[in-house]
Amino acid sequence: MVKVVKFGGSSLASAQQFAKVGKIITADKNRRFVVPSAPGKRNSKDTKVTDMLYACYAQAEQDEDFRVSLMKIKDRYDTIINGLNLKLSLADEFAKIEENFKKKAGVDYAASRGEYLNGIIMANYLGFEFIDSAEVIRFDDEGNFDADTTDKILSARLEKVESAVVPGFYGAKADGTIKTFSRGGSDITGSIVAKAVHADCYENWTDVSGFLIADPRIIDDPKPIKTITYRELRELSYMGASVLHEDAVFPVRKAGIPINIRNTNAPEDEGTWIVESTCHQSAYTITGIAGKKGFVSVNIDKDMMNSEVGFGRKVLSAFEENGINFEHMPSGIDTMTIFVHQPEFEGKEQAVISAIHRMAKPDSIEIESDLALIAVVGRGMKSTRGTAGRIFSALAHANVNVKMIDQGSSELNIIIGVKNSDFDSAIKAIYDIFVTTQL
Ligand code: ASP
């Protein structure tokens, strides 16, 4: 059995946290491949090393003196090294980094040093081999992640080692230029490594015991989710539930490897399992609720719209022409509504309206702003009668006016549009009807 274990920044923010991580890894000999993040925040006022690196490199780019900022970063690492009693010095590494900052090696190079250095410490602490991700995680010339080449290089390299540390967040182009994933991207590295070694499980260790059914800022002490499918997770994370980087599911999903979200500070908790498919029914009809505020609906009216071939295409071209993504598109006989992100749309609204008039010649267009979308997600909904009915009666009791309903054809989710101001009460009402009163 092989497990790939990824540890997030808060799990590696101090020597004490490193020690917890060390215990977790040595407790199970299957935990052979370790993917560390850079040191995160030690407390709420602290700064992540990655952010310190971005700020430090910005100084270098402005030709300002960045040495004090760089030494503060070195201090963070030295405190960890000393706290673990390691005989390790990063002096040469920092001299190289200083030199490369002066040469303006690039913002991705700068940011990646957080994981790189933490990987060196981790490998030294565990007695594992250190593998620089620049050698094994490949990006193409345009800077896009090259999954196939990476899989070939990485699996060949890891086949030869018993146990290794592969830092998260970055890789390199064929010419050696360092490239990072987007923020939080160490989750993606963990997934890539799990696929390359055909792991039985990808453990993603963080500071919470997995996913919760709803956002704890809205619901008091929400119940945890024990098992969730990749598809359910995607629906929820798209709607704002964030524990894992959105792109982290793709590599393992292809290989059918389950992800187990675990808590470094409570290793006895089982956490959440993310799987391709499962016969475990969730305890409730729904698996989770998530939502986002800040949408606009663009309502387009035109008599006889339903018999005009190509009307929808013309309307959508107006959005495409202005580089705007649409989220949902409920329609009636003579009406069609397009939901878009408010911040993306605001600056371009008049250009979009005139483009719709030019292309589709509608009778009228009306815009409503400050709307929120809520996704109620659950694989159990397909086989349960009355789910939609329960949602809408709960919302009616909570005095929430429903602006839009959209049930995905997979019957995995129901999306509800409400006013931003009704967002919290809508989520509470849905949680209560499915979870609190469902005991
Ligand atoms: N250290 C990087 C960040 O802060 C990547 C990661 O932690 O996954 O975004």
Side-chain angles (χ1 to χ4, degrees), residues 300-347:
I300 301 141
D301 274 15
K302 186 175 187 182
D303 282 346
M304 308 297 286
M305 172 194 293
N306 67 324
S307 53
E308 184 178 330
V309 174
F311 184 82
R313 179 185 49 74
K314 290 175 204 157
V315 169
L316 291 180
S317 305
F319 287 86
E320 187 180 352
E321 191 175 82
N322 286 284
I324 294 175
N325 246 326
F326 79 94
E327 296 295 312
H328 288 279
M329 190 178 57
S331 61
I333 300 178
D334 293 333
T335 65
M336 177 172 171
T337 303
I338 314 282
F339 273 79
V340 290
H341 280 282
Q342 193 155 334
E344 214 179 299
F345 180 71
E346 258 162 2

Side-chain angles (χ1 to χ4, degrees), residues 6 9 37-38 48 50 115 169 182-187:
K6 180 261 166 179
S37 277
K48 286 177 162 197
T50 308
E115 272 69 12
F169 192 38
S182 57
R183 294 300 303 265
S186 298
D187 286 339

Side-chain angles (χ1 to χ4, degrees), residues 271-387:
T272 298
W273 282 93
I274 308 167
V275 299
E276 183 175 6
S277 184
T278 175
C279 61
H280 291 285
Q281 282 304 335
S282 50
Y284 314 97
T285 307
I286 60 164
T287 304
I289 313 163
K292 272 193 208 164
K293 288 184 182 173
F295 291 92
V296 166
S297 70
V298 182
N299 308 304
I300 301 141
D301 274 15
K302 186 175 187 182
D303 282 346
M304 308 297 286
M305 172 194 293
N306 67 324
S307 53
E308 184 178 330
V309 174
F311 184 82
R313 179 185 49 74
K314 290 175 204 157
V315 169
L316 291 180
S317 305
F319 287 86
E320 187 180 352
E321 191 175 82
N322 286 284
I324 294 175
N325 246 326
F326 79 94
E327 296 295 312
H328 288 279
M329 190 178 57
S331 61
I333 300 178
D334 293 333
T335 65
M336 177 172 171
T337 303
I338 314 282
F339 273 79
V340 290
H341 280 282
Q342 193 155 334
E344 214 179 299
F345 180 71
E346 258 162 2
K348 296 177 181 166
E349 64 167 24
Q350 296 311 318
V352 174
I353 290 176
S354 64
I356 298 173
H357 275 289
R358 173 165 42 84
M359 293 185 194
K361 311 210 170 9
D363 295 335
S364 65
I365 299 176
E366 210 176 286
I367 291 177
E368 184 167 357
S369 62
D370 301 311
L371 298 173
L373 293 177
I374 296 169
V376 185
V377 176
R379 58 189 182 279
M381 297 195 318
K382 204 171 181 163
S383 52
T384 317
R385 263 179 300 138
T387 311

Side-chain angles (χ1 to χ4, degrees), residues 18 47 50 104 113 134 208 357-358 374 381 410 418:
F18 254 81
T47 311
T50 308
K104 313 232 164 82
R113 296 305 87 185
V208 289
H357 275 289
R358 173 165 42 84
I374 296 169
M381 297 195 318
S410 58
V418 298

Side-chain angles (χ1 to χ4, degrees), residues 211-215 223-246 249 272 274 286-292 373-379 381 412-415 423 427 430:
F211 292 103
L212 299 168
I213 292 183
D215 188 336
K223 299 264 185 235
I225 301 175
K226 270 197 184 155
T227 312
I228 184 169
T229 64
Y230 293 129
R231 290 175 60 206
E232 288 174 311
L233 175 68
R234 202 157 145 61
E235 300 283 352
L236 287 173
S237 37
Y238 184 66
M239 274 297 182
S242 65
V243 169
L244 193 69
H245 191 294
E246 238 200 300
V249 298
T272 298
I274 308 167
I286 60 164
T287 304
I289 313 163
K292 272 193 208 164
L373 293 177
I374 296 169
V376 185
V377 176
R379 58 189 182 279
M381 297 195 318
L412 193 68
N413 62 355
I414 295 178
I415 311 275
F423 184 69
I427 290 189
I430 299 168

Side-chain angles (χ1 to χ4, degrees), residues 43-256:
N43 53 62
S44 56
K45 291 198 187 79
D46 205 8
T47 311
K48 286 177 162 197
V49 164
T50 308
D51 291 317
M52 294 169 86
L53 284 161
Y54 279 123
C56 179
Y57 188 70
Q59 288 179 306
E61 269 201 319
Q62 304 282 314
D63 293 317
E64 287 168 20
D65 189 354
F66 59 86
R67 281 171 305 179
V68 174
S69 315
L70 193 62
M71 282 309 108
K72 279 195 187 140
I73 298 170
K74 183 167 182 292
D75 262 1
R76 287 284 296 267
Y77 287 105
D78 284 342
T79 313
I80 295 173
I81 291 173
N82 296 334
L84 296 171
N85 289 320
L86 299 179
K87 284 189 192 59
L88 173 71
S89 164
L90 295 178
D92 290 349
E93 293 292 349
F94 271 92
K96 215 184 294 163
I97 292 170
E98 186 176 330
E99 212 176 285
N100 286 332
F101 273 32
K102 280 188 192 141
K103 285 192 211 146
K104 313 232 164 82
V107 65
D108 283 18
Y109 165 79
S112 73
R113 296 305 87 185
E115 272 69 12
Y116 170 80
L117 296 166
N118 231 19
I120 293 177
I121 299 178
M122 176 68 91
N124 187 287
Y125 181 51
L126 297 170
F128 283 16
E129 184 173 336
F130 173 76
I131 296 178
D132 186 352
S133 302
E135 292 165 17
V136 288
I137 306 278
R138 184 60 65 81
F139 287 79
D140 66 19
D141 294 340
E142 277 78 54
N144 299 313
F145 171 58
D146 181 346
D148 292 338
T149 312
T150 298
D151 201 52
K152 274 188 209 117
I153 302 173
L154 189 59
S155 50
R157 179 78 169 81
L158 295 180
E159 209 172 37
K160 295 186 222 119
V161 285
E162 184 48 35
S163 48
V165 174
V166 184
F169 192 38
Y170 73 95
K173 296 183 186 174
D175 68 1
T177 314
I178 300 284
K179 184 86 191 80
T180 63
F181 293 108
S182 57
R183 294 300 303 265
S186 298
D187 286 339
I188 308 173
T189 311
S191 183
I192 294 166
V193 173
K195 177 167 189 287
V197 299
H198 305 288
D200 297 274
C201 168
Y202 167 28
E203 288 180 348
N204 187 294
W205 291 81
T206 174
D207 50 11
V208 289
S209 295
F211 292 103
L212 299 168
I213 292 183
D215 188 336
R217 287 167 299 187
I218 300 172
I219 305 291
D220 260 354
D221 201 17
K223 299 264 185 235
I225 301 175
K226 270 197 184 155
T227 312
I228 184 169
T229 64
Y230 293 129
R231 290 175 60 206
E232 288 174 311
L233 175 68
R234 202 157 145 61
E235 300 283 352
L236 287 173
S237 37
Y238 184 66
M239 274 297 182
S242 65
V243 169
L244 193 69
H245 191 294
E246 238 200 300
D247 295 341
V249 298
F250 294 112
V252 283
R253 181 178 178 167
K254 270 195 188 153

